[in-house]
Amino acid sequence: MTDDGSSSITNLALNENYHSTRGAIGESLHVYIEKGLNYLKERGGMNKSVKILEIGFGTGLNAILSMDWASKSSQKVAYTTIEPIPLEEPLYAQLQFKNWQENTQKIHQSPWQIPFELSPFFSLTKIKTTLESYSNPDSIFDLIYFDAFSPSKQPGIWQIQTLANCFRWLVPNGVLVTYCAQGQFKRNLKELGFVVEVLQGAMGKWEMVRGTKPSNKI
Ligand SMILES: C[S@@+](CC[C@H](N)C(=O)[O-])C[C@H]1O[C@@H](n2cnc3c(N)ncnc32)[C@H](O)[C@@H]1O
């Protein structure tokens, strides 16, 4: 249980938490909903259906909060998420996400590998794979939630080759958000052509990062 009363999980092999111990919901709302989805909406020009890719489905919390955002905003969201090690039922059944209990179970029980309409505003596609082996056509996602384990625990996933794929999969003006603000990661983003913003982090964390693919890049 994290400090804001929402659950998280610890990967014991890596000794790594899925969220800030100060608040799983608080962190997810700040980094992904506020600095990602709300930012896109406020910036204007949002597509009829916003296409999101999440790296690391885990507890499903980012999907749960995005589904809530979609219905409150009456904005269609097509959400794709990748995860190599889905949680099993005894574990996800114990997750406590305040007002979102029913949707937590729905999201975990929905099928893998195919798009599934969870509500009139939210379709979910869960793919069991790693980022390293995932492939996609170019220029399709408006927003990427990069929510992998930290670079110190999972360095491979933050390298320029995997980030280059994310860059290609974003539409021009598309945005990547993450809780991470490691120096080498920011340099990798800049080298690829992202416009990098360092924003205030969540739950007392100093910094987080938002990268935008320039409008003239395909
Ligand atoms: C920091 S946790 C965050 C999970 C999730 N977004 C949440 O809110 O619970 C990182 C997630 O990335 C997954 N993961 C591990 N290796 C991965 C890989 N190579 N590609 C994609 N996801 C990976 C982990 O299993 C874990 O669920």
Side-chain angles (χ1 to χ4, degrees), residues 92 132 159 168 179:
Y92 72 64
E132 296 87 328
Q159 281 173 7
R168 284 194 296 99
Y179 68 90

Side-chain angles (χ1 to χ4, degrees), residues 50-100:
V50 187
K51 294 191 174 53
I52 299 178
L53 171 68
E54 176 184 41
I55 315 301
F57 173 68
T59 62
L61 180 55
N62 293 332
I64 294 159
L65 296 176
S66 299
M67 180 171 165
D68 186 60
W69 181 94
S71 72
K72 285 183 178 146
S73 319
S74 302
Q75 167 68 55
K76 283 196 174 198
V77 170
Y79 196 101
T80 302
T81 181
I82 60 174
E83 170 61 59
I85 322 159
L87 300 184
E88 294 191 355
E89 212 216 327
L91 204 47
Y92 72 64
Q94 293 178 60
L95 293 170
Q96 297 290 323
F97 290 139
K98 300 187 178 175
N99 304 332
W100 296 288

